[in-house]
Amino acid sequence: MTSRTQTILVAVATLLSTAIAQKTWTYVNVVQPPDLLDPLQGDFRYHYAPVWVGNPPQLQNLVISLSSVPVFLFDTDCTYCPGNNTFDTTLSNTLKVDEQKWRWSTPELQGQAYRDDMGFEGQLNSPAQRFGVINYMDEDFYPRFREGLLGLAVHPNNETTNQHSLLHGMFKAGNMLNPVIGMRLGGSNPKITIGALDPNDYEGEINWIERTETVSKLQSSIQVEALRGRDDRILPFTYPMDTVLSTIDQDIFMPDNSVYFLNESIIGPQSLINMFPDGGFSVGCNITLRDRNWNDVYLPFSVDINGVNYPVDPKDLIRPRSGASTANTCRTAFKNSTIGEDPLTLGLSFLRSVYVAYRFPTEDCPYGHFGFAYPAGANRTETTKAQKPRTTPQHASQCLQLANPTSTPSSKKVNFAVKHQNSQFGDGMDETTYKVWGRPDDKWTPLRGVDDLPEIVLGMGEQNTFW
């Protein structure tokens, strides 16, 4: 071998090693409510992840959606948009109006399509990422998507749709270590890892299953083998059951909840059960926002996926009593599925009790895969954590050979864009803005002539015990 050939080989090897070294991963902390509450107490179910948008970047805390592809933000002048963390289109030096119309616009949710740099922690970035900026949300539009939406789904075979997928854009940029994310939505250290699965986040073997097109049009769809109650008794449904994983819904939607709450051998002894028109029910309990004694009531419920049983944290199945609750009862996480929907939806009540991995589709592996494990530090027995998956996905050798992270990434130091503040108090609140009654998620609103209203003197007698 000549010296010139050796020099070329060394140069090629150096380039390859440099390219590999440039691939990285990162993580973001998830903002989540400590407990899931009754909707009568306000819309507190959302879980948020921070995203950097533009140059200089604006930090946007967006609602996490495992079943949605697009990302959208709320314009500073948006009508009826909930929240106060809006996106100022005048501050980015690289923002461009997209030549394509934002394809998710409707009469109830209207927005402009843009392109700009977007990513996580300054480590992983999608240049010229497509996204929407919403300038009008109908006051009756639901769900409200407070602050905006972070779609984390990737379509298996639609490149046009995937032009709006942030994960797809970041992976195509070339520096993501693996096409995978890992999520811990519950517990004391909720976070999302992007580009790798952190072994410190989970316990037991990751139970991988492949998403099939026969389940649902939604990308976060799987099949469940059994739902269990007390003493591992199986709820009498037809299995396997088509199932959607939803980070937008906080509840668990089943075809018929009565097979659970009317069967004491499955639900266990309860002091009281009240039924509601939506198929939900409440049970006798004294758990309140002030006194969250989670040992006061117990609902046994677990989910079988690919031969492994995943218990659901009982406290995420009970909603503390609100002032509008029936005396001495608490609503539960269970509701009936509506006709035409997927038979089973596992919302945050389930997802906060498991570690979820998502190996999203790519050109060399056009198959979505979901993995499940037990969150690190969760109260699970060694026998439970030792369970093994029943089968291995058909395309595991093609899709699930993931590189392990070798170091912990750190956030880059950056000067964020300074957003214009109209309020000395921040968060959209000042001495001339007020909450909207019955709409806790909406922006505080100015009131004309408020100084002309007569003063109301409130009695200072018995303490308000509404909460």
Side-chain angles (χ1 to χ4, degrees):
M1 182 182 296
T2 66
S3 59
R4 184 172 183 275
T5 302
Q6 288 179 324
T7 301
I8 294 174
L9 289 176
V10 169
V12 171
T14 302
L15 288 173
L16 288 174
S17 63
T18 302
I20 293 173
Q22 288 176 343
K23 291 186 178 294
T24 187
W25 68 288
T26 191
Y27 71 90
V28 293
N29 294 319
V30 171
V31 178
Q32 42 97 290
D35 301 310
L36 299 176
L37 304 180
D38 189 322
L40 292 172
Q41 297 157 358
D43 210 351
F44 300 114
R45 71 182 184 273
Y46 293 132
H47 290 52
Y48 302 86
V51 179
W52 295 12
V53 186
N55 289 293
Q58 298 178 51
L59 186 62
Q60 306 292 136
N61 286 313
L62 305 180
V63 175
I64 299 165
S65 176
L66 194 56
S67 55
S68 306
V69 171
V71 176
F72 65 74
L73 320 173
F74 289 143
D75 189 85
T76 50
D77 296 323
C78 180
T79 305
Y80 296 125
C81 287
N84 301 291
N85 183 26
T86 55
F87 181 71
D88 192 333
T89 57
T90 67
L91 297 183
S92 176
N93 301 321
T94 49
L95 182 72
K96 297 185 182 301
V97 175
D98 195 352
E99 63 275 11
Q100 297 182 9
K101 177 183 177 182
W102 193 60
R103 59 185 303 183
W104 284 272
S105 282
T106 67
E108 294 79 25
L109 187 71
Q110 300 173 19
Q112 172 66 54
Y114 287 95
R115 303 186 73 158
D116 207 341
D117 291 354
M118 181 180 293
F120 296 103
E121 296 295 308
Q123 296 284 350
L124 290 171
N125 189 59
S126 174
Q129 174 64 41
R130 284 190 162 99
F131 61 96
V133 176
I134 304 301
N135 49 46
Y136 173 78
M137 174 186 275
D138 189 273
E139 58 181 332
D140 295 323
F141 182 88
Y142 189 82
R144 298 301 290 168
F145 295 126
R146 182 181 174 91
E147 313 294 357
L149 184 73
L150 171 60
L152 292 176
V154 179
H155 199 281
N157 50 32
N158 191 322
E159 181 61 28
T160 301
T161 297
N162 283 337
Q163 290 176 6
H164 302 263
S165 165
L166 177 57
L167 291 181
H168 179 78
M170 288 193 300
F171 185 71
K172 292 204 71 163
N175 66 333
M176 185 185 290
L177 182 61
N178 299 293
V180 69
I181 62 172
M183 296 197 309
R184 277 183 54 160
L185 298 182
S188 58
N189 184 29
K191 70 178 184 179
I192 298 177
T193 59
I194 306 100
L197 305 179
D198 188 345
N200 297 314
D201 288 343
Y202 62 89
E203 296 177 325
E205 181 179 342
I206 294 185
N207 176 15
W208 287 104
I209 59 174
E210 187 171 312
R211 179 193 174 273
T212 59
E213 288 293 327
T214 59
V215 177
S216 170
K217 292 181 180 179
L218 292 174
Q219 301 310 311
S220 61
S221 53
I222 62 169
Q223 287 192 321
V224 160
E225 293 175 338
L227 303 176
R228 297 180 184 269
R230 183 187 185 192
D231 298 330
D232 289 334
R233 290 185 173 90
I234 296 179
L235 278 65
F237 295 122
T238 301
Y239 300 103
M241 186 183 294
D242 292 351
T243 303
V244 168
L245 306 173
S246 175
T247 53
I248 298 299
D249 295 295
Q250 73 171 4
D251 295 320
I252 294 171
F253 296 81
M254 298 190 293
D256 182 5
N257 285 321
S258 66
V259 303
Y260 180 63
F261 67 76
L262 292 181
N263 192 333
E264 186 171 317
S265 67
I266 291 179
I267 195 174
Q270 305 295 330
S271 62
L272 177 67
I273 293 179
N274 285 336
M275 295 175 284
F276 297 101
D278 61 3
F281 64 94
S282 62
V283 294
C285 87
N286 289 304
I287 301 172
T288 65
L289 290 174
R290 287 185 176 178
D291 181 18
R292 303 189 189 190
N293 177 20
W294 298 109
N295 295 322
D296 186 68
V297 65
Y298 175 68
L299 293 179
F301 188 78
S302 62
V303 180
D304 284 9
I305 300 174
N306 193 29
V308 180
N309 179 257
Y310 297 95
V312 176
D313 190 338
K315 85 181 186 70
D316 281 334
L317 298 175
I318 299 291
R319 309 291 180 245
R321 279 197 296 115
S322 69
S325 300
T326 307
N328 300 319
T329 66
C330 299
R331 286 205 67 143
T332 69
F334 299 95
K335 290 188 174 127
N336 281 345
S337 302
T338 357
I339 295 175
E341 290 185 347
D342 294 280
L344 178 65
T345 296
L346 296 175
L348 290 163
S349 294
F350 169 75
L351 293 174
R352 285 162 61 104
S353 292
V354 294
Y355 174 84
V356 180
Y358 174 44
R359 198 292 188 193
F360 55 87
T362 52
E363 290 182 6
D364 60 340
C365 171
Y367 315 97
H369 289 78
F370 286 94
F372 300 88
Y374 303 103
N379 185 20
R380 303 290 184 264
T381 66
E382 293 303 317
T383 302
T384 297
K385 291 186 289 188
Q387 296 178 90
K388 298 295 182 182
R390 182 176 52 81
T391 62
T392 300
Q394 178 182 353
H395 299 94
S397 60
Q398 177 182 350
C399 304
L400 299 177
Q401 304 302 311
L402 304 175
N404 293 321
T406 57
S407 61
T408 302
S410 58
S411 177
K412 287 185 178 180
K413 301 297 181 183
V414 67
N415 293 321
F416 288 104
V418 178
K419 299 184 182 182
H420 302 300
Q421 289 285 350
N422 297 321
S423 163
Q424 60 177 313
F425 294 97
D427 287 340
M429 299 177 287
D430 60 29
E431 70 278 7
T432 61
T433 58
Y434 301 85
K435 285 184 177 180
V436 180
W437 174 257
R439 305 183 72 90
D441 282 342
D442 283 6
K443 292 180 183 178
W444 288 40
T445 303
L447 293 178
R448 294 182 179 177
V450 69
D451 294 332
D452 299 327
L453 295 175
E455 183 178 0
I456 299 176
V457 179
L458 299 177
M460 299 301 291
E462 182 179 4
Q463 184 179 2
N464 185 344
T465 56
F466 182 81
W467 297 114

